[in-house]
Amino acid sequence: MFKGFDVIVDNGWKNSDFYNNFVYIGEQIYERHQQNVGSSINKFISSEGIFNGSEIQDSWFPIIEADVFISHSHADIIDAKFIAGWLKVNFGIIAFIDSSVWGYSEGLLELLSDKINSNRNFKLMYKLSSHVNMML
């Protein structure tokens, strides 16, 4: 990482046309980065019952070309989209908003957990979680 910034969006801007126009542009960038993630994990499992982590990673967490990485809390998604839109319009900078792809990690963990019946096995769930986080 070259630089990190803690950005706070002025509440006075919210619900203004200025704010909403940039949120709309940021939403378009966000949606382009989202993937149509398959609901089935079965296509990534061999006949021997082995998960192909590389194929899961390529399908669920693709590489995205962007100039800036925006990490945000769940409550700040709209502000993240505003910033992405503002950067695009004013500087031609494409922002990657982390939740546009990384939000799928919980869904992937649920599918993996269901497939191997690991709901009650804390140690196995910890290993699954570690592997999915490494894919990110």
Side-chain angles (χ1 to χ4, degrees):
M1 175 172 47
F2 180 69
K3 290 276 185 180
F5 299 93
D6 186 10
V7 178
I8 300 171
V9 176
D10 186 330
N11 284 331
W13 290 354
K14 295 181 181 182
N15 297 320
S16 69
D17 288 340
F18 172 80
Y19 181 83
N20 291 329
N21 287 336
F22 287 123
V23 169
Y24 176 75
I25 294 165
E27 178 69 32
Q28 292 174 323
I29 295 166
Y30 186 90
E31 288 176 2
R32 276 196 308 270
H33 289 162
Q34 286 183 310
Q35 293 289 306
N36 294 325
V37 176
S39 60
S40 175
I41 201 72
N42 293 329
K43 64 183 175 181
F44 303 111
I45 304 173
S46 71
S47 59
E48 294 83 28
I50 298 171
F51 291 94
N52 186 323
S54 295
E55 287 183 13
I56 293 171
Q57 183 175 356
D58 291 344
S59 178
W60 284 66
F61 310 116
I63 294 173
I64 293 178
E65 296 293 326
D67 304 303
V68 174
F69 172 79
I70 298 176
S71 180
H72 63 91
S73 70
H74 178 74
D76 294 332
I77 181 62
I78 302 300
D79 288 345
K81 290 176 182 177
F82 164 78
I83 293 166
W86 182 81
L87 289 169
K88 173 67 175 158
V89 169
N90 288 288
F91 303 104
I93 292 173
I94 301 297
F96 168 62
I97 301 172
D98 60 359
S99 64
S100 67
V101 173
W102 296 0
Y104 295 127
S105 63
E106 289 180 20
L108 176 57
L109 279 171
E110 286 177 22
L111 289 172
L112 290 169
S113 175
D114 289 347
K115 187 66 180 175
I116 60 174
N117 299 316
S118 65
N119 288 328
R120 292 192 169 90
N121 186 333
F122 178 77
K123 189 174 183 179
L124 185 55
M125 277 307 297
Y126 178 79
K127 285 182 180 182
L128 279 176
S129 179
S130 296
H131 287 295
V132 168
N133 287 323
M134 289 301 295
M135 288 181 193
L136 294 174

